[in-house]
């Protein structure tokens, strides 16, 4: 477990730090979400091209055809999740909503793969669902500003509803992505560094569809106030660079952690990271968070941990482990 200490702190530190810069960009220039997604993909793809693929001199362990569904779903999930921030979806709700991935995974695993689960897991998923609904309704109530005209309030609510619909779609797509990745690894073996590079690199051409939006957002970032420590450098470009770097390390440390500890520990660390990111978002940016929000958040995170059997249940030893002893 000592070898996992560095990846654990790496996941917590880099992912939480990344969320600070992402939310700062989202608050000042919400139309920059496609640019932010593209920049992250470009950074990770460039790093993989140099250090993993070594400019395509290292052959792939997994054929490109094995990546088709994974790349498609990966691109869609990332773009839709970030775009949802452009439709008046607060970052705290965004974090909580994405924490419901276990619900989507359970549903798709039951209907697509035919898996069965214990009553405890179904109850935990029910708690997660209720938590998300509670938080969503609380945020919806906050949107009802009496100072807005009927037309403005109606437009705000419609855009917010679109954002929630996008998060719901991304939640299901993310669960399907996990199934695609699992099937790919079962077929070709686990090659996380290669998968990380290929999924980002092959996705880059898709951003041509959003070329105009990305270019427009780049102009807006260039017009932002200069960074205090670096005179002449737009502050939002500094935030974007920092978010790309931290996002890379966040993904990298999750892959490292996955190779050193069991999936249960990974689930716990990722859940803890989401909860801490939520706290940072509330405190650092002074986002409104009512008692109703806290109730929903507790249901979501407690349900997630219950689903992962954090509080009980002795892990079953594999037959191979017993033989080795």
């Amino acid at each position: 477990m000592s070898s996992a200490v560095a990846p654990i702190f790496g996941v917590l530190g880099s992912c939480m730090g990344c969320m600070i810069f992402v939310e700062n960009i989202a608050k000042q220039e919400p139309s920059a979400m496609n640019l932010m997604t593209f920049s992250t993909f470009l950074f990770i793809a460039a790093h993989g091209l140099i250090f993993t693929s070594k400019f395509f001199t290292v052959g792939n362990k997994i054929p490109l055809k094995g990546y088709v569904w994974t790349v498609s779903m990966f691109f869609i999930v990332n773009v839709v999740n970030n775009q949802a921030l452009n439709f008046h979806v607060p970052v705290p709700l965004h974090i909580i909503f994405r924490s419901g991935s276990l619900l989507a995974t359970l549903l798709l695993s039951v209907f697509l793969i035919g898996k069965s689960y214990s009553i405890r897991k179904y109850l935990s998923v029910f708690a997660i669902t209720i938590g998300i609904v509670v938080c969503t309704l609380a945020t919806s109530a906050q949107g009802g500003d009496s100072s807005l005209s009927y037309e403005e309030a109606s437009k705000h609510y419609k855009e917010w509803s679109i954002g929630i619909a996008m998060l719901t779609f991304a939640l299901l797509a993310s669960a399907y992505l996990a199934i695609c990745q699992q099937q790919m690894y079962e077929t070709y073996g686990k090659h996380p560094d290669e998968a990380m590079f290929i999924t980002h690199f092959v996705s880059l051409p898709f951003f041509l569809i959003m070329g105009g939006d990305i270019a427009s957002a780049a102009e807006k970032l260039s017009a932002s106030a200069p960074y205090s420590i670096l005179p002449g450098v737009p502050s939002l470009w500094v935030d974007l660079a920092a978010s790309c770097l931290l996002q890379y390390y966040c993904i990298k440390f999750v892959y490292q952690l996955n190779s050193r500890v069991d999936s249960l520990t990974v689930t716990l660390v990722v859940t803890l990271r989401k909860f801490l990111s939520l706290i940072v978002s509330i405190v650092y940016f002074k986002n409104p968070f009512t008692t109703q929000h806290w109730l929903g958040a507790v249901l979501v995170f407690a349900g997630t941990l219950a689903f992962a059997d954090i509080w009980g249940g002795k892990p079953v030893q594999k037959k191979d482990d017993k033989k080795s002893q």
Side-chain angles (χ1 to χ4, degrees):
M1 183 67 182
S2 59
S3 63
V5 173
I8 287 174
F9 280 99
V11 169
L12 296 178
S14 57
C15 292
M16 288 168 57
C18 178
M19 281 307 301
I20 291 177
F21 292 105
V22 168
E23 183 163 0
N24 192 46
I25 296 172
K27 282 183 175 293
Q28 294 188 53
E29 195 52 64
S31 63
M33 293 302 101
N34 284 331
L35 171 62
M36 185 174 65
T37 308
F38 170 70
S39 300
T40 301
F41 273 57
L42 181 62
F43 180 86
I44 295 176
H47 185 279
L49 178 64
I50 298 170
F51 298 102
T52 302
S53 176
K54 300 186 187 304
F55 296 99
F56 302 112
T57 59
V58 177
N60 289 344
K61 303 294 190 302
I62 301 176
L64 289 179
K65 66 178 183 180
Y67 284 107
V68 172
W69 278 109
T70 301
V71 169
S72 300
M73 299 311 300
F74 183 75
F75 175 79
I76 291 172
V77 167
N78 277 273
V79 170
V80 174
N81 266 324
N82 284 336
Q83 253 329 88
L85 293 172
N86 200 24
F87 288 87
H88 299 290
V89 176
V91 170
L93 179 61
H94 192 275
I95 295 171
I96 293 170
F97 215 97
R98 293 180 68 178
S99 298
S101 56
L102 283 176
L103 166 64
T105 301
L106 180 143
L107 292 176
L108 292 188
S109 295
V110 169
F111 291 109
L112 296 183
I113 304 180
K115 282 190 175 183
S116 59
Y117 295 93
S118 65
I119 297 298
R120 179 179 180 176
K121 290 191 182 293
Y122 281 107
L123 289 176
S124 66
V125 167
F126 179 74
I128 293 170
T129 306
I130 295 299
I132 291 175
V133 171
V134 168
C135 286
T136 304
L137 292 176
T139 305
S140 175
Q142 288 177 348
D145 188 348
S146 59
S147 64
L148 295 176
S149 66
Y150 175 80
E151 291 76 12
E152 291 173 328
S154 177
K155 179 182 178 182
H156 181 89
Y157 182 78
K158 287 179 180 178
E159 291 183 351
W160 180 81
S161 299
I162 292 173
I164 294 299
M166 291 173 71
L167 285 179
T168 303
F169 172 79
L171 201 61
L172 293 172
S174 179
Y176 185 64
L177 168 63
I179 293 175
C180 291
Q181 288 176 327
Q182 181 181 343
Q183 292 176 338
M184 182 180 71
Y185 286 147
E186 288 175 353
T187 303
Y188 302 104
K190 292 186 177 182
H191 305 284
D193 288 338
E194 177 189 306
M196 185 176 172
F197 163 61
I198 294 295
T199 51
H200 287 84
F201 183 83
V202 178
S203 297
L204 290 177
F206 291 110
F207 286 98
L208 290 173
I209 303 171
M210 326 168 178
D213 180 70
I214 291 173
S216 175
E219 292 179 3
K220 293 178 181 178
L221 260 63
S222 298
S224 62
Y227 195 67
S228 57
I229 304 177
L230 301 172
V233 179
S235 59
L236 288 184
W237 277 113
V238 176
D239 288 343
L240 183 63
S243 70
C244 289
L245 181 63
L246 289 170
Q247 180 74 354
Y248 165 77
Y249 280 109
C250 177
I251 297 172
K252 184 74 173 178
F253 281 125
V254 168
Y255 275 119
Q256 287 185 8
L257 189 63
N258 201 32
S259 66
R260 299 183 187 184
V261 299
D262 56 25
S263 58
L264 184 64
T265 304
V266 176
T267 300
L268 175 58
V269 173
V270 171
T271 301
L272 179 61
R273 183 264 295 178
K274 290 177 180 177
F275 186 76
L276 292 177
S277 295
L278 177 64
I279 300 300
V280 169
S281 176
I282 296 166
V283 175
Y284 188 84
F285 289 98
K286 296 181 174 60
N287 282 310
F289 214 70
T290 64
T291 302
Q292 192 174 344
H293 282 99
W294 277 116
L295 174 61
V298 168
L299 285 171
V300 170
F301 290 108
T304 299
L305 298 182
F307 186 95
D309 292 327
I310 294 296
W311 295 304
K314 191 175 181 180
V316 180
Q317 258 187 323
K318 293 181 180 179
K319 293 182 179 180
D320 293 341
D321 294 340
K322 291 181 179 178
K323 289 179 181 178
S324 64
Q325 294 174 358

